[in-house]
């Protein structure tokens, strides 16, 4: 089945700093890739997605590009805000896997 | 995207009691819904796949008699934690899959269960 390896946290940044959270995947075939965000005490919200190689997902200033050659889907944001503080999950589905596979999650704290 | 609601958002119960958590699809008919469990500071663990009109499919290691799932209609799935114990305390999240074929999933806001 699929697996997703995500950068260990927690990550603490100052406001307006550049953010990268690494995510790599293993899969048979070509999965769809997602980044979900979870704010304290809430469920998961889809942040962005990419369904095929070289696709770039983007939303709210966040971006991630589906890189087949490096099997990666790293999340980036040029200038983080305090309100971005949350847990971020990388996930994949498809290829040989029928269920969503999550990474371990990365806690991001942005300080003013 | 789709809207998924859960009720209650939090519940505290005594050990030995049963607790029912509802998951509703508010804007489309979901033939399949998923139940996840999340421990503090950990990722989501898929517990079972709920299929409308048929038995749920449980993941390995999940007790089907402990976690009863019923998907009686296309908009409602319920998870009942039977004879709850403190180790069942967790955050339970339901989810439904998009009908558009891109495998996107929409998640409910979660239910915090605390068993005393």
């Amino acid at each position: 089945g699929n697996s997703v390896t995500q950068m260990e946290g927690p990550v603490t940044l100052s406001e307006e700093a550049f953010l990268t959270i690494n995510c790599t995947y293993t899969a048979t075939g070509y999965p769809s890739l997602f980044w979900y965000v979870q704010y304290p005490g809430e469920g998961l919200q889809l942040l962005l997605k990419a369904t095929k190689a070289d696709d770039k997902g983007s939303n709210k200033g966040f971006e991630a590009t589906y890189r087949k050659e490096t099997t990666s889907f790293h999340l980036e944001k040029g200038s983080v805000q305090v309100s971005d503080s949350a847990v971020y999950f990388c996930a994949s589905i498809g290829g040989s896997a029928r269920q969503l596979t999550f990474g371990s999650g990365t806690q991001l704290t942005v300080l003013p | 995207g789709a809207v998924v609601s859960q009720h209650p958002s939090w519940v505290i119960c005594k050990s030995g009691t049963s607790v029912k958590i509802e998951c509703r699809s508010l804007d489309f008919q979901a033939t399949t819904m998923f139940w996840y469990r999340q421990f503090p500071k950990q990722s989501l663990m898929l517990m079972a796949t709920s299929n409308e009109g048929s038995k749920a499919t449980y993941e390995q290691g999940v007790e089907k008699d402990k976690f009863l799932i019923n998907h009686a209609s296309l908009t409602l799935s319920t998870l009942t934690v039977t004879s709850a114990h403190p180790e069942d305390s967790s955050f339970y999240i339901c989810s439904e899959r998009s009908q558009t074929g891109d495998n996107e999933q929409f998640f409910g806001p979660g239910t915090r269960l605390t068993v005393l």
Side-chain angles (χ1 to χ4, degrees), chain B residues 18-80:
Chain B
S18 295
V19 174
K20 180 185 285 188
I21 302 170
E22 294 186 347
C23 177
R24 291 183 184 275
S25 172
L26 298 183
D27 55 354
F28 74 86
Q29 297 176 333
T31 55
T32 301
M33 301 181 90
F34 304 92
W35 286 96
Y36 294 86
R37 182 173 183 177
Q38 184 181 31
F39 291 103
K41 300 188 186 302
Q42 294 189 27
S43 190
L44 279 71
M45 178 190 79
L46 179 65
M47 298 174 67
T49 302
S50 170
N51 306 296
E52 188 271 334
S54 65
K55 291 182 179 180
T57 304
Y58 289 81
E59 296 299 303
Q60 193 171 9
V62 178
E63 299 176 61
K64 59 182 68 177
D65 295 330
K66 172 77 171 176
F67 299 99
L68 300 179
I69 290 173
N70 184 280
H71 195 152
S73 77
L74 288 170
T75 59
L76 174 65
S77 175
T78 60
L79 167 67
T80 301

Side-chain angles (χ1 to χ4, degrees), chain A residues 25 29-34 49-57 64-69 72-73 93, chain B residues 102-103:
Chain A
Y25 67 90
Y30 303 102
S32 296
L33 302 173
F34 305 87
K49 65 182 179 183
T51 58
K52 62 182 187 296
D54 299 324
D55 268 2
K56 176 186 282 189
T65 301
Y66 191 143
R67 302 280 188 203
K68 190 178 73 170
E69 62 276 13
S72 65
F73 193 54
I93 190 172
Chain B
D102 62 1
N103 289 320

Side-chain angles (χ1 to χ4, degrees), chain A residues 35-48 59-62 75 77 81-89 106-110, chain B residues 38 44 91 93 107-110 112:
Chain A
W35 276 101
Y36 284 89
V37 58
Q38 185 178 31
Y39 297 102
E42 299 183 11
L44 272 67
Q45 301 174 27
L46 179 67
L47 182 59
L48 51 83
N59 185 25
K60 298 181 182 178
F62 291 90
L75 181 68
K77 186 173 185 180
Q81 305 300 311
V82 173
S83 57
D84 294 327
S85 298
V87 180
Y88 292 82
F89 292 95
T106 301
Q107 171 76 55
L108 170 66
T109 301
V110 180
Chain B
Q38 184 181 31
L44 279 71
F91 195 52
I93 305 174
F107 290 83
R112 171 75 58 194

